[in-house]
Amino acid sequence: MLTGASVLFVLVITLFLLVIWRPGWGAGVSPGRWLVLGGLVLPGIVLIPLVAYALIAGESLLPSPGHTPPRIEAVARQWTWTFHYPDHGGVETRNVLHMPAGTPIDILVSSQDVIHAFWIPRFAGKIDAVPGHVNRLRIQADRPGRYAGQCNEFCGLGHAGMRFDVVVDRPEEFSAALARAAAAEGSEKK
Amino acid sequence: MSEPVDPLSQGTPALRLHRQLSAIWATGSGLQRLAAVNHSVIGMRMMITSFAFFAIAGVLGMLTRVQLATPNSPFMTSETYNQVFTMHGSMMLFLFAIPMVESFAVYLTPKVLGARDFAFPRLTAYGYWCYLFGGTILTVALVAGAAPNSGWFMYTPLSSNVFTPDINSDVWLLGVTFVEISALSLAIEIVVSILKMRAPGMSLDRMPIFAWYILVTAMMMIVAFPPLILGSILLEVERAFGLPFFDPTRGGDALLWQHLFWLFGHPDVYIIFLPMAGVLSTIIPVFARRPLVGYRAIVVAIIALAFLSFGIWVHHMFTVGIPHLALAFFSAGSAIVAVPTAVQVFAWLATLAHGRPRWDVPMLYVFGFFFIFVMGGLTGVMLAMVPFDWQAHDTYFVVAHMHYVVAGALAFPMLAAFYYWMPLLTGRTAVHRLSVPAFWLVFIGFNMTFFMMHLTGLRGMPRRIYTYSGDEGWNWLNLLSSIGGFVMTIGFALVVIDLFVQLRYGKRVRRNPWDSTTLEWAMPIPPAPYAFASIPDFGTTRTDSTVPNDLTLSLARGEGYLGFARNGWQETLGVHKTSGVPDQLIVLPSPTYLPLYTALLTAAAVLAMLFKFYLLSLGFALVTACLFVLAGQSAGLPRDYGPLPVGRGVSVPPHTEVADAPAWLALICALVADGTLFTSLLFGTFYLWISAPNWTAAVAPEPSRTLAIGAVAALAVAAATSRGSLRAATAGSGASGWIGLTLLALLAAIAAAVGQIADIVPHPREHALGATAAALIGYVILHGGIGLLFLFSNTLRLRAGFISPRRVLDLRLTRLWLDYTCVTGAIALGLVLALPALVTVVGARP
């Protein structure tokens, strides 16, 4: 997409400079043809495949019926994230999201106060946390490791600091790691 | 705009005519300047005012760049930063961009069309004062540290009273709405003036392309502003009186605000862009030295753009959780916008290709525009693709895109326009030694600032964060952006200096130095308050191949239409909307302080509301309404004249005695705006019903069928009796009796509606269900109340002799208003009656 955009950009700017610096250069093409080629044909060639591609790519980011991957609930509040794991006995972690690598996960995003947005820049996609609604985002982490996530919708004074960590574990280690983390947080609270 | 020093007027007949017309049209000196209603004076003031707000907003932008230049900067706190970026956006959009394009329209449109002024000069003045006072309220709040702080699109519930209990959001809601009243009233005036006030013979399909752009833009404003005005009213009502339209805990929905905001917000981008594209379509042919290629294709393209822009607001909301099919629809729609835009870009390229282009300062800015707009357009297509948007949304990539398409596509043509039209005011051209480096500073600074933001965005920097830790890899990009910002600011400062230098030391040039082909160059320099000493005829000539130089002298000698002074009237010609055949003589009002007083009282109402003196505010609003009625008392002519000669052997009746008067068209435009607001209210009601959370918990409402049907019936009687008064006045018999009947019917309708609002279940404060019912009934009461003002004005004018069998416009306006009130009243009250059934249906909602 970046290459395509650069080519189009260079094309239009070159045309502009050519018609100015080489008077009569474009006069061989009739005015009507200029309009049809530039105004209809060019956008048509570029846009139709692009939109088609985007629709297909967009499909993979959306939950498909009949297939329900593991779910994690992300609840936003000024200015923290709380994650619930309904598939793991409803344990919860704060400001740290634990997830297994190599498998799609549905994040159910909601908010308790204002609008926030759930975003992990290294994984594709983001979704708003809207009070009163639950939005679903499908993400997948290919490799284990630590990643950074952050709130992406302006939510007041603490917006810049509303970050969270993402810990991606190997699938076989995930349950144990999550239990350890939740237990550690639980004991911290006490 | 003092005595024009113009060799032209030395000729005796021309000089005599100039003196006579100047005496009639001139704005007084000293304090009398406050009474100005002339479009040249107001347009210029508006331009200077918007430029001042641009400077303030620019400084705010610089402050954000200072803060973000380095990580962990201690320069501003989070709270200050939030106010600064919110005000930067709000001021740039509402106090600079929209008023700036409107000021171009106000100053230039009548001159391009061969009219002497706009249709409603007092409304122009009122619009200007509203804009100035509204902008001042926002600026004072900024200085006082109580500025809005929820971002320029004010998303609820962050902006609602739970999370922003202080005055900050109220300042935005009231200040911006105040400014929008002015934008809306000017838009109505522009549409009416373009359709009704052109040089005779200038049919719509031969109108200069600039006027087409302005016409389409103004029509878009009429439809685009009402959703935001409604949203602002509803949010202010929620904040002030606790009616929960956007509160999800009480049956409202935060997303309703986003829909209403972007229903305005997206078309707004085109409202800013189209007039500037109009500037380009005017300037490029002049510098290519050939007529514009594809006039008709461009007209079709801009109309298509106007329609498309209303269908794609959701692309600002791709991440709020919208069904996939809707995403696909809005994504494709957003991409299609590229087509009409490409048509224009290639029409400009073809014009240059087929012409003999030459360089001057305006062309430099045209180059800057091409460079920046094409880049912004391409990133726009990228963002229209949902998967990409889901990554880049609300990051600095969007900030970069938006500044390329809105800031770049506005600033560069605007500066081109300044350099292009300055000789019309000064008779001088720019000093190249200053203008060329100024351009390059702005251009390089702009790209340096905003290009880097694409990269910071792709590296994951969210917008609206006041600080960052420094290990994200954004440091040097942010520093470069900040340096670029300073370069750009120096460039803008140099442009301002250059324009001032030009006033004094610019190279003296002949009239029409660029060999333009539009009418504004066929007048004295600087333009006289009456614009044209006489109005040209366009019976057969193509308007885009006018030779102003040949016309100037003959117009100054009074050889066109209306080349004389009569009764001390400010006269201009009204024409048939499409064909341009003259059909009326429009007599315009003289300078008056009334617009200033009315705007001051409107400001008082706004301020009282802001400081929560609600009864006082209502009082001021009523006085304001009475001043409008008072303004109506001096409009028109107190007796019948019949056809009057307007020169060249043509006689037409004055505007008071024709059916198609400007006021008639203006009321239709106002009702279109009002109807859009009403439709948005219906949309809001249905939206909450369909998608708001916590809706089912509500108590079932039990609206009183008798009261609702009674109110609608009374409204129908009012509409019917208004026909009676019109018939009586046309027949020459007394209309007072009929007006009395209408008054009684309206009062009955209002009483029934008030009775109904008193016992809404659930209580409007408890649940959005009751709140929407209250809003619908409130709409009916408000319109009934305005109907009373119409009747009040009718009675006064009937007594003062402004209404006769040939002058029945007042009564026709009243009839139209009451018809509208009756139809919307039936729909609104019908919906209130239907709400219980709707709620039952909703009970089955998953």
Side-chain angles (χ1 to χ4, degrees):
Chain A
M1 198 154 63
L2 192 63
T3 331
S6 316
V7 169
L8 285 173
F9 176 73
V10 172
L11 174 74
V12 176
I13 297 301
T14 314
L15 283 176
F16 180 82
L17 294 176
L18 272 177
V19 296
I20 292 218
W21 280 336
R22 297 257 148 82
W25 173 83
V29 183
S30 77
R33 191 161 291 180
W34 268 97
L35 291 187
V36 172
L37 286 178
L40 297 174
V41 176
L42 182 68
I45 293 175
V46 176
L47 291 178
I48 293 171
L50 186 61
V51 170
Y53 170 76
L55 292 186
I56 295 162
E59 202 73 39
S60 65
L61 286 175
L62 286 151
S64 47
H67 171 76
T68 45
R71 292 169 304 150
I72 298 175
E73 292 167 6
V75 180
R77 189 155 50 82
Q78 282 178 331
W79 290 278
T80 55
W81 291 95
T82 311
F83 300 99
H84 297 270
Y85 304 82
D87 301 338
H88 292 82
V91 296
E92 67 172 58
T93 55
R94 281 186 73 189
N95 291 334
V96 184
L97 167 65
H98 290 268
M99 58 186 279
T103 167
I105 303 282
D106 272 6
I107 308 283
L108 302 179
V109 183
S110 61
S111 166
Q112 291 182 341
D113 42 40
V114 303
I115 298 176
H116 305 270
F118 175 91
W119 188 36
I120 306 163
R122 294 284 297 274
F123 305 165
K126 73 181 57 157
I127 198 95
D128 288 358
V130 185
H133 295 264
V134 177
N135 283 327
R136 189 188 291 247
L137 178 72
R138 177 160 303 171
I139 55 174
Q140 176 165 349
D142 291 329
R143 267 191 298 275
R146 271 186 101 83
Y147 301 87
Q150 60 206 8
C151 174
N152 195 225
E153 180 65 63
F154 178 66
C155 57
L157 286 179
H159 171 56
M162 192 169 159
R163 295 153 179 255
F164 59 94
D165 287 327
V166 184
V167 178
V168 179
D169 302 300
R170 262 189 279 278
E172 60 274 17
E173 292 167 8
F174 171 64
S175 292
L178 174 63
R180 265 200 314 278
E185 257 186 45
S187 62
E188 252 174 49
K189 263 182 217 161
K190 284 163 200 161
Chain B
M1 291 322 99
S2 58
E3 191 83 352
V5 188
D6 196 18
L8 253 183
S9 19
Q10 302 305 320
T12 328
L15 188 59
R16 195 183 318 125
L17 184 58
H18 167 69
R19 286 198 179 129
Q20 286 172 338
L21 288 174
S22 292
I24 295 173
W25 287 81
T27 301
S29 55
L31 273 182
Q32 286 174 8
R33 285 168 213 267
L34 297 178
V37 292
N38 189 276
H39 76 280
S40 291
V41 180
I42 307 274
M44 191 55 63
R45 281 181 193 170
M46 209 164 163
M47 211 175 286
I48 292 168
T49 311
S50 61
F51 211 79
F53 283 121
F54 172 64
I56 299 173
V59 168
L60 294 176
M62 296 308 303
L63 293 179
T64 66
R65 282 322 314 168
V66 171
Q67 171 74 12
L68 293 177
T70 51
N72 302 313
S73 167
F75 178 59
M76 276 190 267
T77 62
S78 181
E79 172 59 31
T80 317
Y81 184 81
N82 292 349
Q83 290 193 17
V84 166
F85 84 73
T86 300
M87 285 301 284
H88 167 71
S90 305
M91 288 183 108
M92 281 291 188
L93 263 299
F94 296 106
L95 301 185
F96 164 63
I98 297 168
M100 176 59 83
V101 302
E102 280 197 318
S103 70
F104 270 95
V106 169
Y107 188 83
L108 284 173
T109 319
K111 300 186 178 75
V112 168
L113 294 177
R116 282 174 169 170
D117 204 335
F118 264 151
F120 309 105
R122 295 179 298 179
L123 190 65
T124 326
Y126 175 71
Y128 171 73
W129 293 121
C130 283
Y131 159 53
L132 180 67
F133 297 152
T136 309
I137 291 175
L138 283 162
T139 313
V140 169
L142 177 71
V143 175
N149 56 2
S150 323
W152 78 271
F153 35 76
M154 294 285 292
Y155 275 0
T156 53
L158 182 61
S159 59
S160 53
N161 47 356
V162 181
F163 299 99
T164 309
D166 294 332
I167 202 173
N168 312 55
S169 297
D170 302 309
V171 169
W172 192 96
L173 293 168
L174 294 167
V176 167
T177 305
F178 193 18
V179 172
E180 286 191 339
I181 296 172
S182 105
L184 194 56
S185 57
L186 284 176
I188 291 173
E189 166 154 23
I190 290 169
V191 170
V192 173
S193 302
I194 292 180
L195 289 178
K196 286 305 296 177
M197 298 166 77
R198 303 189 299 268
M202 190 190 275
S203 57
L204 215 50
D205 58 343
R206 295 188 302 134
M207 188 164 77
I209 193 76
F210 180 76
W212 265 110
Y213 277 98
I214 298 294
L215 176 65
V216 172
T217 309
M219 285 178 163
M220 286 178 70
M221 284 183 173
I222 290 177
V223 189
F225 282 114
L228 179 59
I229 292 178
L230 175 77
S232 301
I233 293 172
L234 294 185
L235 182 53
E236 185 54 33
V237 167
E238 173 175 314
R239 290 180 55 88
F241 308 115
L243 273 59
F245 297 102
F246 307 106
D247 179 358
T249 61
R250 287 179 290 162
D253 194 337
L255 292 182
L256 175 60
W257 170 266
Q258 296 194 14
H259 281 290
L260 292 175
F261 187 89
W262 291 117
L263 258 171
F264 148 81
H266 193 75
D268 185 44
V269 174
Y270 294 87
I271 287 171
I272 294 166
F273 167 65
L274 280 180
M276 292 299 118
V279 166
L280 294 168
S281 285
T282 307
I283 292 182
I284 288 174
V286 169
F287 284 88
R289 289 183 275 196
R290 65 148 288 147
L292 182 67
V293 164
Y295 174 96
R296 274 159 203 270
I298 288 186
V299 171
V300 172
I302 56 187
I303 293 173
L305 208 50
F307 276 101
L308 283 174
S309 74
F310 282 96
I312 54 180
W313 79 94
V314 171
H315 77 208
H316 297 264
M317 302 167 60
F318 277 165
T319 63
V320 300
I322 299 252
H324 193 199
L325 195 64
L327 284 184
F329 173 79
F330 285 105
S331 167
S334 307
I336 287 172
V337 168
V339 174
T341 317
V343 166
Q344 290 179 76
V345 168
F346 279 85
W348 295 328
L349 285 174
T351 308
L352 289 166
H354 282 261
R356 291 171 295 119
R358 61 189 153 135
W359 275 107
D360 209 307
V361 183
M363 274 309 273
L364 216 45
Y365 282 98
V366 170
F367 161 74
F369 165 82
F370 263 85
F371 189 95
I372 278 158
F373 185 70
V374 172
M375 176 114 57
L378 290 171
T379 53
V381 171
M382 291 183 185
L383 286 170
M385 301 303 119
V386 175
F388 183 78
D389 184 73
W390 275 26
Q391 186 64 5
H393 182 80
D394 266 336
T395 67
Y396 263 81
F397 190 89
V398 169
V399 178
H401 160 71
M402 168 185 87
H403 281 90
Y404 268 83
V405 288
V406 181
L410 168 63
F412 283 84
M414 174 188 86
L415 294 177
F418 280 167
Y419 281 106
Y420 176 76
W421 273 295
M422 272 297 269
L424 182 62
L425 286 171
T426 59
R428 299 166 189 267
T429 53
V431 187
H432 280 217
R433 231 175 292 166
L434 266 179
S435 341
V436 174
F439 165 78
W440 287 109
L441 281 177
V442 173
F443 181 74
I444 293 169
F446 184 93
N447 282 295
M448 194 169 159
T449 313
F450 297 114
F451 189 79
M452 302 307 151
M453 290 185 186
H454 290 118
L455 306 177
T456 31
L458 289 178
R459 288 182 172 209
M461 180 163 169
R463 65 197 286 199
R464 300 177 165 184
I465 53 170
Y466 79 106
T467 191
Y468 51 98
S469 63
D471 52 11
E472 301 94 336
W474 309 331
N475 297 4
W476 61 276
L477 287 170
N478 271 318
L479 186 62
L480 279 180
S481 274
S482 297
I483 296 171
F486 279 91
V487 174
M488 178 166 56
T489 309
I490 295 169
F492 272 111
L494 208 54
V495 168
V496 173
I497 294 172
D498 185 34
L499 292 176
F500 273 106
V501 167
Q502 181 182 339
L503 276 177
R504 193 67 206 274
Y505 301 106
K507 192 171 59 173
R508 272 196 180 282
V509 285
R510 64 195 162 82
R511 181 191 312 281
N512 190 10
W514 317 112
D515 293 321
S516 314
T517 55
T518 36
L519 269 177
E520 78 274 22
W521 298 97
M523 56 174 66
I525 289 175
Y530 53 80
F532 297 94
S534 62
I535 295 171
D537 186 279
F538 277 97
T540 49
T541 43
R542 276 191 61 156
T543 44
D544 62 353
S545 54
T546 317
V547 186
N549 307 24
D550 301 349
L551 263 176
T552 315
L553 207 59
S554 103
L555 292 183
R557 282 197 298 256
E559 288 162 10
Y561 293 96
L562 294 176
F564 48 78
R566 163 168 47 200
N567 301 348
W569 286 351
Q570 300 189 163
E571 295 179 325
T572 189
L573 272 183
V575 297
H576 182 266
K577 286 193 278 290
T578 48
S579 71
V581 174
D583 65 1
Q584 58 194 289
L585 173 73
I586 297 175
V587 184
L588 296 171
S590 350
T592 155
Y593 293 102
L594 206 55
L596 175 62
Y597 297 148
T598 316
L600 277 173
L601 276 157
T602 318
V606 168
L607 284 173
M609 183 80 194
L610 191 56
F611 292 106
K612 307 194 183 343
F613 299 116
Y614 300 124
L615 277 178
L616 189 65
S617 173
L618 185 66
F620 281 129
L622 285 175
V623 180
T624 309
C626 289
L627 282 181
F628 271 103
V629 173
L630 185 66
Q633 301 317 301
S634 53
L637 300 169
R639 69 175 179 88
D640 293 343
Y641 284 89
L644 293 164
V646 293
R648 298 173 74 112
V650 177
S651 289
V652 290
H655 71 276
T656 47
E657 295 169 33
V658 293
D660 199 16
W664 176 253
L665 192 54
L667 185 59
I668 291 175
C669 290
L671 288 180
V672 169
D674 196 354
T676 314
L677 186 123
F678 182 64
T679 313
S680 307
L681 182 58
L682 296 181
F683 165 80
T685 309
F686 283 111
Y687 183 84
L688 290 181
W689 164 56
I690 290 171
S691 93
N694 299 319
W695 184 275
T696 41
V699 198
E702 292 160 17
S704 155
R705 202 162 295 214
T706 334
L707 282 178
I709 292 171
V712 174
L715 287 177
V717 171
T721 49
S722 71
R723 281 172 171 68
S725 49
L726 182 60
R727 211 171 301 130
T730 317
S733 51
S736 311
W738 284 107
I739 292 181
L741 279 180
T742 318
L743 181 70
L744 287 179
L746 258 189
L747 286 173
I750 293 174
V754 170
Q756 206 175 6
I757 219 168
D759 46 29
I760 293 174
V761 174
H763 191 278
R765 282 211 187 90
E766 279 164 16
H767 196 272
L769 180 56
T772 46
L776 287 165
I777 299 173
Y779 183 89
V780 180
I781 296 175
L782 178 69
H783 283 72
I786 297 174
L788 293 179
L789 289 176
F790 270 82
L791 296 177
F792 179 42
S793 173
N794 288 165
T795 315
L796 291 177
R797 282 172 64 84
L798 205 56
R799 289 220 183 115
F802 281 100
I803 295 174
S804 77
R806 282 161 73 169
R807 287 171 286 132
V808 289
L809 182 65
D810 285 74
L811 299 174
R812 289 174 58 227
L813 295 177
T814 308
R815 183 193 60 185
L816 182 57
W817 180 266
L818 292 176
D819 283 353
Y820 175 88
T821 307
C822 180
V823 171
T824 51
I827 297 172
L829 296 172
L831 185 56
V832 171
L833 285 184
L835 274 174
L838 292 185
V839 174
T840 334
V841 176
V842 151
R845 194 176 70 182

